[in-house]
Amino acid sequence: LPPKTTLSIPKGGPRPFLKWVGGKRQLLPRLLEQFEAAGKVSRYHEPFVGGGALFFELVRREWINPAEAILSDANPNLIDTYRGVRNDVDEVIDILKRYKQSHDEGHYYQVRAEEPRKLTEKAARIIYLNKTCYNGLYRENQQGKFNSPFGRYDNPTICDEVNLRAVAKALKKATLHCRPFQEIVNEAKKGDFVYFDPPYHPLSNTANFTAYERNGFGTAAQEELAKVFRKLAKRRVKTVLSNSWSNDTRTWYQEFGPMEVRANRAVNSRPDRRGKVSELLVSSF
Ligand SMILES: C[S@@+](CC[C@H](N)C(=O)[O-])C[C@H]1O[C@@H](n2cnc3c(N)ncnc32)[C@H](O)[C@@H]1O
């Protein structure tokens, strides 16, 4: 049999419906190779699911059954968006169609100021802001509020109905949790597959480094994650992780032979910071 990665890919099927910081489009071929190398797996876990690039690609290729997928993230707004789309995609689509009709700068700021309670309304709001904001990324301030300004796009795709339906179908069967990554330890069993895509460890002596230590995902959290990785590896859970390529990350995962992979850094507000960067990819098997 040819390796799975060379087989043709079905045209339809779900794709990420949110653009998320650290979206994995670039690394995807390498991650698919890792998934293939894992052989037969029982369940699929993604404890930092974000935009879910790998999950949706695996579903699209029919390499996993979404009923065997456990997705989680610590961001409640993200998980609520997934739940809204899953619970009632028709209603989310209806709201997005209305937003599309009314779309302009004033409407954008009006929706941004709203704080809906209903999951479908929350989901539509976040999808709408994600597609129309400056930079096209969902970002929150320290209070968990979305604060990106209006983006000037000619014709933003506010409602991709076909994809949203495919996404809803995949999410219907999947398990969703809003929880910190540590809880994976109580869940993953021998023979399962786990993909960790944590917030990247910033290179030391940068402004980012200081910010992450203070209120982001600092060194202590990264070290704890490395411990969890080791625990799962011992249990023979097939575990894969990506991170930045740095002295610290290489040290934390040394025993597993971390690989250096080159990726284009597409998302950076400063053009001089775009270009190739190295990332770390490590697997327990
Ligand atoms: C690099 S992003 C994941 C990107 C994702 N792979 C994609 O394709 O879009 C990291 C994610 O980790 C989540 N996160 C941050 N701290 C966390 C924690 N302590 N436990 C679980 N998730 C966390 C963030 O909300 C974010 O969605």
Side-chain angles (χ1 to χ4, degrees), residues 176-218:
L176 292 171
H177 295 290
C178 179
R179 65 182 184 193
F181 73 88
Q182 290 89 336
E183 294 197 26
I184 189 72
V185 174
N186 306 318
E187 180 118 33
K189 300 197 186 89
K190 179 180 166 187
D192 287 357
F193 184 94
V194 176
Y195 172 46
F196 286 120
D197 184 20
Y200 276 18
H201 185 57
L203 305 180
S204 44
N205 306 321
T206 60
N208 266 348
F209 187 80
T210 319
Y212 274 58
E213 284 305 324
R214 240 185 256 132
N215 41 39
F217 197 88

Side-chain angles (χ1 to χ4, degrees), residues 20-24 47-53 73-75 179-181 197-199 217:
W20 210 250
V21 181
K24 281 281 101 60
F48 298 95
V49 70
D73 198 285
N75 185 326
R179 65 182 184 193
F181 73 88
D197 184 20
F217 197 88

Side-chain angles (χ1 to χ4, degrees), residues 45-49 72 179-185 194-201 217-234 239-244 248-249 251-253 255-256 280 282 284:
H45 305 262
E46 247 202 272
F48 298 95
V49 70
S72 58
R179 65 182 184 193
F181 73 88
Q182 290 89 336
E183 294 197 26
I184 189 72
V185 174
V194 176
Y195 172 46
F196 286 120
D197 184 20
Y200 276 18
H201 185 57
F217 197 88
T219 302
Q222 292 285 358
E223 287 178 337
E224 208 183 328
L225 175 59
K227 266 193 206 148
V228 168
F229 187 101
R230 249 173 264 136
K231 214 179 245 179
L232 298 184
K234 236 190 209 153
T239 311
V240 170
L241 172 139
S242 46
N243 210 320
S244 57
D248 285 344
T249 55
T251 308
W252 294 328
Y253 296 98
E255 65 197 274
F256 300 101
L280 170 140
V282 63
S284 71

